[in-house]
Amino acid sequence: MKKRLLAATAAAMLGLAMAWAAPAAQAADPLTLQLKWVTQGQFVGYYVALAKGFYKAEDLDVTIKPGGPDINPDQVLAGGGADVVIDWMPSALATREKGVPIVNIAQVFQHSGLELTCRRDSGIKTPTDFKGKTLGVWFSGNEYPFLSWMAKLGYSTDGAHPDVTVLKQGFNVDPLLQKQAACISTMTYNEYWQLIEAGMKPAQLIVFKYQAEDVATLEDGLYVLQPTLDDPAKVARLARFLKASKQGWDYADSHQAEAVKILLAADTAGVLTKDHQTRMVSEVAKLIGKDGWGYLISADYNRTVDELLSTKSTPVISKKPEGAYTHAVWDKAFK
Amino acid sequence: MKRGGSHWIIGVAALLFCTLSRTHVSSFHATPWITAGIAVVLMLTAMALFARGDSRADRLASPLLFGLLLLWLWEMLVFALQIPFVILPPPSAIALAIWNHLAILRIDFEQTYLHAVVAGYAIGCGAGFLLALAIDRSPFLQRGLTPLGNLISAMPIIGIAPIMVMWFGFGWQSKAAVVVLMTVFPMLVNTRAGLAEYGAMERDLMRTYAAGYWQTLWRLRLPAAMPLIFNALKLNSTLALIGAVVAEFFGTPTRGMGFRISTEAARMNLDVVWATIAVAALAGSVSFALIAMIERAVTFWHPSLRDAEGR
């Protein structure tokens, strides 16, 4: 009985404390961020900013929504399910051409992490050897860089007798382990290490980085809808979001072990492993770039657009996009 | 045309008003809404009149008009409420997409339906049927196989599909394997239930004739099981299609209905996605109808199929 009374008193005290704190908590501006993929090292900066209270310090109440194979961030954005989404530029531009007014406000990864990883025993030494081979490609918006690369090489990917046979690979590395494909798509920070963890030796693999082949397109960037940018209050909110996110990324870079801990704690599915995430966090740090966190460099943007326009057979976009990115939010945050 | 003329005229008038209101729905005046109101009233009137008719054409016209009404309402609402194309394209855009992508839709249909679904369905239903016979014959198998069948049927498709890709490759064979796993169990359960459908009187009669197990099976039990077996066949025809399409989300060559749906959805070509869905729905309905027709031919004697006049 006594215990119960004690508990009730404690609960009442807690309630009072909450009531005190409530006005402060309510004032924080809500903001929902939709990730492009599941919770993992690729997004470590946002999780660190959330866990370390950087968002709170900017008076933001941020909700991070993990993505997955069946979640198209642009569609979530168009449907009003998020304020900011992370997407790759090719799929964002394709969506924009379909009439969704999606705009890049920050380019978080200045370097591309996409690569084709091949088995050495398939006989592939250079990209010209792809002819007649079976290549695994991710779809769901990630196929655009590949298609424009093949167009550049002059190889057809569909029809009755394509030069390269394309497989829509799942999000695992089995096709290469089982020799179902000569090459598969990997990310420098993720699937390549899955291959190594599955027992392949780096000497057995040959890697073609899109960045090195000069066919790279911009990957993880932050996107919002145009109407959001027409509202100064919302632009200010987004600027605060960028500021706190940069803090998170900087912190993750300099405290990688702690960042991995934060990630593992945020992983509701409980599928992340410490080793793999440690690698991912350190590899992702290399993609951020040194030219001002999140600043979209016009040259990179133009290269991406040219890359996408060059695909003759299956045009990703058919005309040069207008107003597909803005520096306004970045300037407000960091200038 | 004894008194059928009037409702045909009303039906045509309704369609006319539908097109009238659709053509200038984007301009927000009262006219499209007035014509739309008239169209709905005419439609419903025509449907009610057709529903009373009893010629074949009359009976077909009513659901057809209803379908058209739904499509037209969808079209009007998408335009009037300005719903974004990526959320829900209007039926006119979907029809256009079907027309523009006929070649692709045909290739996808071949890959998914003619290869994966047909093969998987045949193997799955056949295996389910034979397993049911084996279980019926031997109590040992009954105790061993039934839980196993239960287990297989309870496996989630998104878990099986990637495994099948590992075992059988990226081609349609792995999708057929998923279909087999999905269709075996309903067939097994229904056939087993069907084999217990005969009455004691018939069984005693067979005994009196000194019929053996196989004769009894062939002459009495299988015919009695037919309604339930066809039940499973109908159920499986839709299950097989769903199974094959979903299995194609997990590693495919660059064709197939599931491949098309998942990639085009990501490319925001929702009109192509809906076009594929339309093909799938049509294929599913046609296979269902086909099996229902065979069923009528095979189990014409069954009480459930006799009409009131005892024909």
Side-chain angles (χ1 to χ4, degrees), chain A residues 72 74-75 78-79 95 98 100 139-141 143-144 147 166-168 174-175 178 180, chain B residues 86-87 165-166 169-170 248-249 251-254 259 262-263 265-270:
Chain A
N72 180 342
D74 302 348
Q75 213 163 1
T95 306
K98 294 273 180 321
V100 180
F139 278 74
S140 320
E143 70 273 34
Y144 301 129
L147 292 175
V166 176
L167 288 182
K168 176 188 174 227
D174 300 300
Q178 300 190 37
Q180 288 172 324
Chain B
V86 294
I87 302 293
V165 168
M166 279 186 224
F170 279 76
E248 280 183 343
F249 288 12
T252 45
T254 49
F259 166 82
S262 63
T263 41
R267 291 175 179 179
M268 295 279 171
N269 293 331
L270 272 291

Side-chain angles (χ1 to χ4, degrees), chain B residues 54-290:
Chain B
D54 47 4
S55 80
R56 212 192 168 92
D58 280 354
R59 251 182 309 190
L60 271 177
S62 198
L64 200 70
L65 270 185
F66 185 64
L68 279 173
L69 179 68
L70 281 182
L71 283 177
W72 170 80
L73 276 175
W74 172 0
E75 178 90 10
M76 291 289 282
L77 286 174
V78 165
F79 270 91
L81 303 174
Q82 297 184 315
I83 294 169
F85 186 90
V86 294
I87 302 293
L88 185 69
S92 55
I94 296 167
L96 198 67
I98 293 177
W99 178 247
N100 287 337
H101 298 88
L102 274 177
I104 283 185
L105 291 172
R106 200 182 54 101
I107 291 169
D108 290 345
F109 178 76
E110 243 169 67
Q111 167 81 9
T112 305
Y113 199 88
L114 299 184
H115 290 314
V117 172
V118 171
Y121 180 78
I123 297 171
C125 292
F129 180 75
L130 292 175
L131 273 176
L133 285 187
I135 286 175
D136 177 71
R137 191 81 178 109
S138 127
F140 166 71
L141 284 180
Q142 179 175 345
R143 279 195 288 274
L145 280 176
T146 316
L148 199 68
N150 262 318
L151 202 69
I152 290 175
S153 73
M155 284 198 289
I157 185 170
I158 52 171
I160 302 176
I163 296 172
M164 292 300 137
V165 168
M166 279 186 224
W167 290 0
F168 300 105
F170 279 76
W172 59 263
Q173 293 82 350
S174 56
K175 318 302 170 253
V178 172
V179 173
V180 168
L181 289 177
M182 284 188 76
T183 51
V184 158
F185 193 68
M187 192 70 195
L188 172 66
V189 172
N190 274 289
T191 309
R192 276 196 62 198
L195 287 174
E197 274 289 293
Y198 60 95
M201 197 121 67
E202 291 96 334
R203 192 194 53 208
D204 291 348
L205 187 63
M206 289 308 247
R207 288 289 292 273
T208 322
Y209 290 149
Y213 171 83
W214 294 107
Q215 276 177 313
T216 312
L217 186 74
W218 185 246
R219 304 233 172 244
L220 166 64
R221 299 178 67 205
L222 274 183
M226 275 306 148
L228 272 166
I229 291 177
F230 272 103
N231 215 9
L233 284 173
K234 282 191 282 194
L235 194 70
N236 280 345
S237 71
T238 42
L239 266 185
L241 188 61
I242 295 167
V245 168
V246 175
E248 280 183 343
F249 288 12
F250 306 89
T252 45
T254 49
R255 59 183 184 276
M257 289 154 119
F259 166 82
R260 197 68 52 200
I261 288 174
S262 63
T263 41
E264 296 302 340
R267 291 175 179 179
M268 295 279 171
N269 293 331
L270 272 291
D271 51 347
V272 183
V273 173
W274 281 95
T276 309
I277 290 172
V279 171
L282 190 69
S285 313
V286 169
S287 13
F288 194 93
L290 202 68

Side-chain angles (χ1 to χ4, degrees), chain A residues 281-331:
Chain A
V281 167
S282 80
E283 287 292 332
V284 161
K286 299 173 189 168
L287 303 178
I288 295 286
K290 295 287 165 263
D291 290 344
W293 180 92
Y295 189 80
L296 175 62
I297 300 158
S298 313
D300 290 348
Y301 167 81
N302 291 332
R303 191 195 60 225
T304 299
V305 170
D306 292 343
E307 194 66 54
L308 298 178
L309 285 170
S310 72
T311 319
K312 286 282 170 291
S313 54
T314 45
V316 178
I317 50 175
S318 53
K319 53 187 183 294
K320 261 199 169 18
E322 295 291 331
Y325 72 94
T326 174
H327 285 145
V329 181
W330 194 91
D331 290 343

